Amino acid sequence: MRILIVDDEVIIRTGLCTVIDWKELGLELLPAASSAEEALVRIPVEKPHIVLTDIRMSGMDGIELAREVKLLLPDTEIVILTGYDDFSYAQQALREGVTDYLLKTSRPEEIIKAALKCKQNIMDKWESSKQDMLQQAALRSQLLDRVLNRGLQEDEHALDQLQVWFRKYGVDVYPDSGLPAPMQVLLVFVSGWGESPIMELLQGAAENILFELLPCVTLMNKDHLLLVVRHEAGFTDQAGLTKALKRVTDTLKCSAFAALGTVAPDFDGLRESYRTAKEVFAYQGLIGSQGLFTMEDIRERSGGRTVCTEKEEAELTAILMSDNATELRHWVNQKVRALMEDTAATPISVQGYLQSMMIAGHRWLERASSTQNGPASLSTLPVYEGEGRPEDEVFKVLSAVMTRFHQGLDQNRYAYVYKSIAYIRDNLHQPISLQQVAGFVHVNPNHFSEVFKRETGCTYIEFVTQERMKRAIDILQGTQTKVSDIARRVGYEDIKYFTQQFKKYTGRTPSEFRQGIKTE
């Protein structure tokens, strides 16, 4: 907060500047002015918040100076100092909006008290102005939210309010022609300065630049800017908007992704413009990380694949079993990168595939952990929130799945048995001998066979057969897959032998079992 002292007597000027420690009071002391005329030249440039001035000076006096200052800077606080104890001067000074009136013989503490009173008045004005701005911003936000999401529904009062607000911010929606001007919704995401709260500063700076360059109304949302731009050919068409965005990125050294909605002929059309802008905005990362995009850029996208293949799920389970975080990170990055580069992908198909990856991890954990301490509890695992980079979010979830399983193993003396069980369940589709599994867990086959039977209650062959039959039952219950294909998926090339084993386990053939499900 700045203070300017004005007095034509050098002794008084010097005394006021040196006797009082203005910095200690939280005030920046500007170089003193030796006349009212000098002060009036400097005040528009230096913009002091407080002016401490003599009344009687050669040339323009303090009363005239106060009058001129109030015209230039109405919120400036003024304190009059005089050697004349004249009540008429005080009355005249107060009429000109002077805050206080002091004699030059006043003690320093009285001058300090007057300056602090001025400072408090200014802070009160700032706080009041801030609250008014917040209240107006909230009302504007509510009104704009209403027109963008629900429409005005012939509410003339709300329509008038919106027009006044737009006109106040330089967006005259009824220019000289008297007809409504076309408008468009523009959503802008800026990045490149790191995490919050720095991102908020970047977003605010971008908002200021765009507001200066475009005939628009702006709102700052949590993670992006919303602009309603008056559409003018050659100025706010795509070329003009691209130029404005380039100014933002060049000035702030950042990236900007912008989604432009359809042209709205009037306020009622803004709702559709906002809907299309949001639809395009959802493609951030799929169609690019910076630049200006419209519906034309996404119109041909029909959607990519949404489910992990059996091969991909097998790759994932092998990595989870290996407890290799680096390999898991590489695998997730590779899959997500390929997903994002798919020219047919849409936000919905991407979400479906990401969910499929995490479901595959959860399914593996339930399957692999079920013989340790019962079914695994998934409630405390992190969930996909969709707020960060997709690869980071997916890795966080799958890494937690991997950690949960291996922490459980570390608490068991015969952890290798339960690790072998998870391996068996992941490889039921192929021949898996006892020697192969014992080698996987680095244990002597004979010792492994003894401990395995003691821990599971059945021999290795019995356990593998049971697991294959359970898997076959799950497939029969949940799909219409052919029996021959089911046999191969659970490790049997000989369908007749599979049918015999299935009937021995369930009392029915696979076909009878499926028929029984249908008739129940």
Side-chain angles (χ1 to χ4, degrees):
M1 198 175 293
R2 297 176 294 278
I3 183 169
L4 174 66
I5 294 173
V6 185
D7 201 304
D8 60 354
E9 296 183 45
V10 65
I11 296 176
I12 300 298
R13 287 200 310 271
T14 305
L16 289 172
C17 289
T18 57
V19 170
I20 297 173
D21 188 347
W22 297 104
K23 186 175 181 181
E24 185 70 21
L25 301 178
L27 298 172
E28 177 189 349
L29 180 64
L30 297 170
S34 60
S35 67
E37 288 80 5
E38 179 191 344
L40 280 178
V41 172
R42 291 168 49 193
I43 282 172
V45 178
E46 299 178 7
K47 293 182 171 57
H49 301 96
I50 303 171
V51 173
L52 184 61
T53 180
D54 188 13
I55 280 189
R56 289 192 180 271
M57 295 181 288
S58 57
M60 182 184 293
D61 65 21
I63 300 296
E64 293 176 281
L65 175 62
R67 186 183 303 116
E68 293 297 324
V69 170
K70 284 295 182 180
L71 289 174
L72 291 170
L73 301 172
D75 290 335
T76 299
E77 296 285 315
I78 301 173
V79 176
I80 293 291
L81 281 173
T82 183
Y84 297 85
D85 189 6
D86 190 332
F87 185 66
S88 64
Y89 274 117
Q91 287 182 315
Q92 188 177 355
L94 292 172
R95 282 196 296 271
E96 298 301 334
V98 170
T99 304
D100 216 337
Y101 178 89
L102 298 172
L103 293 175
K104 286 186 177 180
T105 55
S106 298
R107 297 187 304 276
E109 55 266 30
E110 292 177 299
I111 299 174
I112 290 173
K113 183 178 179 182
L116 290 178
K117 177 183 176 182
C118 292
K119 180 181 177 183
Q120 187 60 51
N121 288 345
I122 293 169
M123 292 177 68
D124 290 344
K125 290 177 187 176
W126 286 353
E127 181 61 27
S128 177
S129 176
K130 177 182 177 182
Q131 293 303 320
D132 287 344
M133 289 177 63
L134 290 174
Q135 186 176 16
Q136 290 179 24
L139 291 173
R140 290 196 301 268
S141 180
Q142 290 175 6
L143 187 58
L144 192 55
D145 175 73
R146 179 178 171 187
V147 71
L148 294 177
N149 290 295
R150 291 169 288 166
L152 293 175
Q153 299 174 332
E154 300 183 354
D155 186 333
E156 294 296 333
H157 177 66
L159 182 60
D160 290 343
Q161 281 185 312
L162 200 58
Q163 291 171 4
V164 169
W165 175 42
F166 271 55
R167 194 173 296 112
K168 178 180 178 182
Y169 286 88
V171 185
D172 190 353
V173 292
Y174 288 94
D176 296 338
S177 66
L179 299 174
M183 295 171 282
Q184 285 177 280
V185 173
L186 180 70
L187 303 180
V188 181
F189 174 79
V190 286
S191 60
W193 279 14
E195 300 299 325
S196 297
I198 299 298
M199 278 300 297
E200 294 180 10
L201 297 177
L202 173 60
Q203 190 167 295
E207 181 185 30
N208 291 335
I209 294 174
L210 291 172
F211 182 76
E212 290 177 2
L213 294 176
L214 304 172
C216 67
V217 173
T218 66
L219 281 179
M220 195 184 307
N221 290 323
K222 180 181 178 182
D223 61 350
H224 67 273
L225 299 174
L226 185 154
L227 290 79
V228 177
V229 184
R230 192 177 72 195
H231 180 79
E232 297 178 9
F235 184 52
T236 53
D237 54 14
Q238 289 190 44
L241 291 174
T242 299
K243 186 177 180 180
L245 290 169
K246 188 174 187 304
R247 174 77 70 84
V248 170
T249 56
D250 288 349
T251 302
L252 301 178
K253 310 301 180 188
C254 66
S255 298
F257 175 90
L260 183 63
T262 52
V263 177
D266 49 33
F267 280 123
D268 288 335
L270 280 177
R271 189 177 179 185
E272 176 62 15
S273 183
Y274 182 45
R275 185 195 68 77
T276 54
K278 287 195 297 182
E279 186 174 347
V280 177
F281 193 75
Y283 279 78
Q284 183 181 355
L286 287 175
I287 53 179
S289 58
Q290 62 179 0
L292 179 67
F293 301 92
T294 68
M295 287 294 293
E296 290 301 317
D297 296 298
I298 66 173
R299 200 176 301 279
E300 301 299 322
R301 288 180 173 256
S302 57
R305 61 196 185 95
T306 59
V307 180
C308 285
T309 64
E310 287 188 13
K311 179 183 176 182
E312 288 172 329
E313 188 162 344
E315 291 172 352
L316 174 59
T317 56
I319 294 170
L320 295 175
M321 180 66 75
S322 71
D323 196 21
N324 189 325
T326 301
E327 189 178 357
L328 177 62
R329 165 64 82 174
H330 177 73
W331 185 85
V332 169
N333 286 353
Q334 184 184 51
K335 297 302 176 185
V336 173
R337 190 182 308 116
L339 179 70
M340 303 298 280
E341 291 174 354
D342 182 355
T343 56
T346 66
I348 293 177
S349 67
V350 167
Q351 287 299 316
Y353 185 81
L354 296 177
Q355 291 292 344
S356 175
M357 292 173 71
M358 291 177 287
I359 289 171
H362 284 144
R363 186 162 52 233
W364 172 81
L365 180 60
E366 288 184 314
R367 188 170 65 242
S369 303
S370 61
T371 55
Q372 289 185 49
N373 296 299
S377 173
L378 306 179
S379 60
T380 56
L381 289 172
V383 296
Y384 179 75
E385 298 175 350
E387 295 184 354
R389 296 198 314 160
E391 56 267 42
D392 293 340
E393 291 277 303
V394 173
F395 174 75
K396 180 177 71 174
V397 172
L398 293 179
S399 179
V401 166
M402 184 168 65
T403 300
R404 171 69 59 82
F405 173 73
H406 290 281
Q407 282 179 343
L409 288 181
D410 292 342
Q411 298 170 5
N412 194 296
R413 179 182 176 185
Y414 297 109
Y416 61 83
V417 172
Y418 302 102
K419 188 174 182 179
S420 71
I421 290 173
Y423 178 80
I424 291 168
R425 288 171 175 163
D426 288 337
N427 292 276
L428 292 174
H429 60 286
Q430 62 183 358
I432 38 175
S433 66
L434 183 146
Q435 288 75 15
Q436 177 184 344
V437 176
F440 173 76
V441 294
H442 308 293
V443 176
N444 176 274
N446 292 331
H447 175 72
F448 174 77
S449 178
E450 293 177 7
V451 175
F452 189 91
K453 183 174 182 180
R454 186 169 66 244
E455 290 294 309
T456 63
C458 55
T459 67
Y460 173 80
I461 294 298
E462 291 171 342
F463 181 84
V464 172
T465 302
Q466 289 176 11
E467 291 299 313
R468 283 176 166 156
M469 295 304 108
K470 289 177 183 178
R471 181 71 56 81
I473 289 172
D474 288 341
I475 299 172
L476 280 166
Q477 290 177 328
T479 72
Q480 292 301 312
T481 305
K482 293 180 180 179
V483 173
S484 57
D485 291 335
I486 294 174
R488 281 188 287 271
R489 287 176 63 177
V490 296
Y492 291 93
E493 291 297 329
D494 187 334
I495 300 173
K496 183 177 179 181
Y497 181 64
F498 164 69
T499 301
Q500 291 174 349
Q501 292 295 317
F502 190 89
K503 185 171 184 179
K504 183 178 179 181
Y505 184 78
T506 65
R508 290 180 286 181
T509 67
S511 298
E512 291 170 343
F513 186 88
R514 175 172 279 165
Q515 188 62 36
I517 295 173
K518 292 180 180 179
T519 57
E520 286 176 359

